[in-house]
């Protein structure tokens, strides 16, 4: 049975609850509710005006109710008197179809097996106004794993890591990543919904703790054009109770036929889900990108899979799982998992064949592969593929596809109304 939040407040010294939901653009919206009021809110939900957030609603719609999931309760390690709760959205007595967490839960309920995933959200620590990395001494050409630069950010990184230890997430390593100013922290994988909630909370936590230290944590996919961007790789396996269905000692690289069908589904549907995994204008400056100053972007440009080789979209690093390297820091935590699960299940249901793996270096020899599909080149390409693929409606439902495509098209149109310096540089003398 779900825990009683009033009791939890008394037992754990929680004074306030943040009833929080993630909208279609990945923004976290919340009400701060005093413990004395949580009893009613646990039943009825906290009220919001849906139109005021990115959900494709109208100002005339009824109240939107965010019903907290008590299993998601996390006491903020940096402010333990506050309890954070992920919420599901309801309106007029019905679940809101297009709400990201609701969508992921629907897909999980349909999937039959349990998808487990672990994510690697890369981030930059920048100055408060976001214009520069926070550490002026972090200038190495190959900054990955830079011990000195990592230790200059010891206070921030370990405060976040200590928090994850305290929360029982099983963090196991922290490092300086491949761009100046970029870091990654890793913790144990788990059921997709748990990982999505943790992903949402991690972003909130990293930003909050960085702010405490006078810095800013950004997950923007490509904040600096010449540096490696921030991905959010996802490692995936599918389970039936305690049995990993992707593991097969006799399969190629220790992955089962079911695992290859799942990979086949992801590759078949990459175009259609790219607007979810890489949801911003800026996302397309990370993928398909020219070489960065470190020597490689570490991001994919084509729809291919491989063994333990980081130049492809899908990598099989180990038996019984694969890594999907396409997603980026802007991906909505719930939609990232939903996209992977939906596309993978499509592969399982239709026994999709991913073809033979490629063992080449895609950055240097990608041009020799003539029969692989390329990734969308920009957000508009991706939105169109999302809207026009017959599979998206089957995978995500009409309401979600309509809402998401509408808001993303609006975003693209806003973007095209900007006049850039590039245009002036290249067109003034036309
Ligand atoms: P890399 O940088 O080599 O891609 P990381 O160690 O940074 O790998 O991240 C690996 C992620 O994969 C972690 O979140 C880890 O818990 C997760 N993981 C490991 N095994 C599995 C598995 N069987 N299923 C899903 N995720 C897994
Ligand atoms: Mg009011
Ligand atoms: Mg990693
Ligand atoms: Mg990384
Ligand atoms: Mg990785």
């Amino acid at each position: 049975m779900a825990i009683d939040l009033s009791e939890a407040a008394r037992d754990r010294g929680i004074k306030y609850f943040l009833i929080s939901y993630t909208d279609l653009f990945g923004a976290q919206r919340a009400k701060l509710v005093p413990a004395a009021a949580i009893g009613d809110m646990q039943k009825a939900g906290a009220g919001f005006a849906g139109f005021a957030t990115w959900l494709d609603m109208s100002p005339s719609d009824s109240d939107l109710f965010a019903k907290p999931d008590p299993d998601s309760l996390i006491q903020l390690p940096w402010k333990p008197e506050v309890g954070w709760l992920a919420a599901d959205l309801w309106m007029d007595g019905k679940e809101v179809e297009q709400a990201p967490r609701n969508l992921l839960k629907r897909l999980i309920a349909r999937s039959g097996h349990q998808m487990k995933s672990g994510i690697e959200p890369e981030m930059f620590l920048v100055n408060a106004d976001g214009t520069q990395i926070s550490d002026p001494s972090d200038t190495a050409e190959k900054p990955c794993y830079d011990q000195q630069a990592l230790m200059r950010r010891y206070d921030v990184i370990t405060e976040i890591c200590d928090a994850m230890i305290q929360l029982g997430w099983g963090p196991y390593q922290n490092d300086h990543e491949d761009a100046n100013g970029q870091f990654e922290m890793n913790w144990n994988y788990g059921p997709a919904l748990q990982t999505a909630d943790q992903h949402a909370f991690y972003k909130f936590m990293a930003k909050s703790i960085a702010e405490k230290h006078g810095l800013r944590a950004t997950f923007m996919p490509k904040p600096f054009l010449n540096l490696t961007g921030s991905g959010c790789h996802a490692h995936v396996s599918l389970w039936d109770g305690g049995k990993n269905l992707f593991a097969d000692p006799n399969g190629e690289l220790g992955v089962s036929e079911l695992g290859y069908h799942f990979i086949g589904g992801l590759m078949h549907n990459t175009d259609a889900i790219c607007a979810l995994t890489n949801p911003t204008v800026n996302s397309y400056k990370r993928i398909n990108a020219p070489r960065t100053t470190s020597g490689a972007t570490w991001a994919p440009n084509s729809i291919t899979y491989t063994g333990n080789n980081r130049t492809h979209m899908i990598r099989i690093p180990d038996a019984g799982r694969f890594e999907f390297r396409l997603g980026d820091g802007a991906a909505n935590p719930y939609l990232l998992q939903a996209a992977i699960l939906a596309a993978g299940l499509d592969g399982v249901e239709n026994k999709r064949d991913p073809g033979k793996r490629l063992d080449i270096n895609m950055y240097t020899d990608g041009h020799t592969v003539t029969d692989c599909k390329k990734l969308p080149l920009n957000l508009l390409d991706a939105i169109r593929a999302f809207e026009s693929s017959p599979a998206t409606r089957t995978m995500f439902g009409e309401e979600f596809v309509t809402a998401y495509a509408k808001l993303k098209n609006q975003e693209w149109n806003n973007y095209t109304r900007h006049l850039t310096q590039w245009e002036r540089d290249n067109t003034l003398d036309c």
Side-chain angles (χ1 to χ4, degrees):
M1 218 190 69
I3 59 166
D4 181 276
L5 292 173
S6 301
E7 267 173 39
R10 274 194 303 277
D11 295 348
R12 303 186 200 177
I14 296 173
K15 285 167 66 181
Y16 286 93
F17 288 92
L18 269 176
I19 299 186
S20 172
Y21 72 87
T22 300
D23 71 17
L24 285 168
F25 283 4
Q28 289 182 51
R29 314 282 181 169
K31 284 215 171 161
L32 188 63
V33 173
I38 197 66
D40 291 340
M41 294 276 190
Q42 180 167 10
K43 287 188 216 97
F48 291 81
F51 175 74
T53 72
W54 299 116
L55 286 168
D56 186 30
M57 289 181 170
S58 143
S60 61
D61 280 339
S62 336
D63 263 9
L64 174 72
F65 288 99
K67 289 193 193 173
D69 179 347
D71 292 338
S72 69
L73 176 61
I74 298 176
Q75 261 175 284
L76 307 188
W78 66 99
K79 202 179 257 303
E81 65 189 46
V82 179
W84 180 90
L85 290 158
D88 297 319
L89 297 182
W90 290 72
M91 186 181 274
D92 298 326
K94 291 195 297 277
E95 286 195 42
V96 175
E97 297 259 328
Q98 71 269 31
R101 196 172 191 269
N102 293 358
L103 171 65
L104 177 58
K105 285 175 76 174
R106 256 198 330 274
L107 281 161
I108 289 171
R110 208 177 78 196
S111 69
H113 304 301
Q114 183 174 52
M115 183 173 99
K116 292 190 180 179
S117 60
I119 48 150
E120 310 171 53
E122 291 169 336
M123 65 175 173
F124 283 80
L125 291 176
V126 295
N127 60 7
D129 70 13
T131 51
Q132 280 173 335
I133 63 168
S134 70
D135 178 2
S137 306
D138 186 351
T139 54
E141 182 187 335
K142 278 200 184 287
C144 210
Y145 319 121
D146 188 322
Q147 174 172 284
Q148 215 64 38
L150 173 65
M151 290 308 284
R152 280 196 296 271
R153 287 292 165 264
Y154 180 85
D155 290 353
V156 188
I157 298 294
T158 55
E159 189 173 341
I160 300 171
C161 190
D162 285 348
M164 291 196 281
I165 294 169
Q166 188 192 323
L167 295 173
W169 290 11
Y172 59 89
Q173 61 183 5
N174 310 296
D175 74 355
H176 191 293
E177 281 287 309
D178 192 54
N180 305 109
Q182 192 187 37
F183 299 87
E184 179 180 311
M185 312 184 63
N186 301 113
W187 68 94
N188 278 344
Y189 68 100
L193 183 65
Q194 178 186 304
T195 294
D197 283 340
Q198 287 176 338
H199 186 182
F201 188 81
Y202 177 79
K203 292 182 82 171
F204 171 43
M205 173 161 71
K207 290 176 193 175
S208 303
I209 291 176
E211 268 173 29
K212 255 182 67 177
H213 291 263
L215 309 176
R216 184 162 172 172
T218 176
F219 296 86
M220 182 174 172
K222 191 81 166 178
F224 304 102
L225 210 50
N226 56 337
L227 301 180
T228 295
S230 287
C232 185
H233 304 161
H235 292 247
V236 182
S237 50
L238 200 67
W239 295 72
D240 186 8
K243 186 175 164 23
N244 179 355
L245 302 173
F246 283 0
D248 180 356
N250 300 317
E252 281 278 313
L253 304 174
V255 171
S256 66
E257 197 184 2
L258 185 87
Y260 281 107
H261 287 154
F262 199 101
I263 290 173
L266 258 184
M267 291 173 66
H268 180 80
N269 293 297
T270 302
D271 278 12
I273 63 168
C274 202
L276 303 174
T277 54
N278 304 70
T280 61
V281 168
N282 182 253
S283 296
Y284 297 83
K285 299 193 167 133
R286 168 181 164 263
I287 55 176
N288 308 308
R291 230 158 61 107
T292 55
T293 51
S294 72
T297 62
W298 303 109
N301 48 42
S302 308
I303 302 176
T304 55
Y305 85 99
T306 185
N308 199 348
N309 167 342
R310 295 171 195 267
T311 65
H312 294 256
M313 184 183 80
I314 291 177
R315 157 179 170 247
I316 300 176
D318 215 343
R321 70 171 145 132
F322 68 83
E323 177 189 37
F324 182 57
R325 301 173 57 84
L326 178 60
D328 65 39
N332 180 311
Y334 299 94
L335 299 183
L336 174 63
Q337 301 296 325
I340 295 171
L341 180 55
L345 289 179
D346 169 74
V348 170
E349 280 156 21
N350 295 290
K351 298 197 173 0
R352 301 216 189 269
D353 177 6
K356 268 190 84 61
R357 77 165 185 270
L358 281 174
D359 289 325
I360 60 170
N361 174 343
M362 274 310 274
Y363 298 151
T364 52
D365 303 328
H367 61 278
T368 62
V369 191
T370 48
D371 58 350
C372 71
K373 283 195 293 177
K374 291 288 183 191
L375 291 168
L377 289 177
N378 58 37
L379 182 61
L380 181 61
D381 248 11
I383 299 168
R384 285 184 173 155
F386 172 77
E387 275 182 296
S388 64
S389 160
T392 22
R393 279 170 182 74
T394 322
M395 293 192 290
F396 304 115
E398 184 67 41
E399 302 248 356
F400 174 78
V401 174
T402 306
Y404 194 74
K406 180 176 152 194
L407 294 183
K408 280 288 151 187
N409 274 308
Q410 270 174 21
E411 187 182 28
W412 176 263
N413 291 338
N414 283 344
Y415 165 67
T416 57
R417 283 187 209 111
H418 284 268
L419 188 61
T420 61
Q421 189 57 40
W422 184 93
E423 289 165 84
R424 297 188 62 80
D425 292 347
N426 288 277
T427 328
L428 205 57
D429 294 327
C430 65

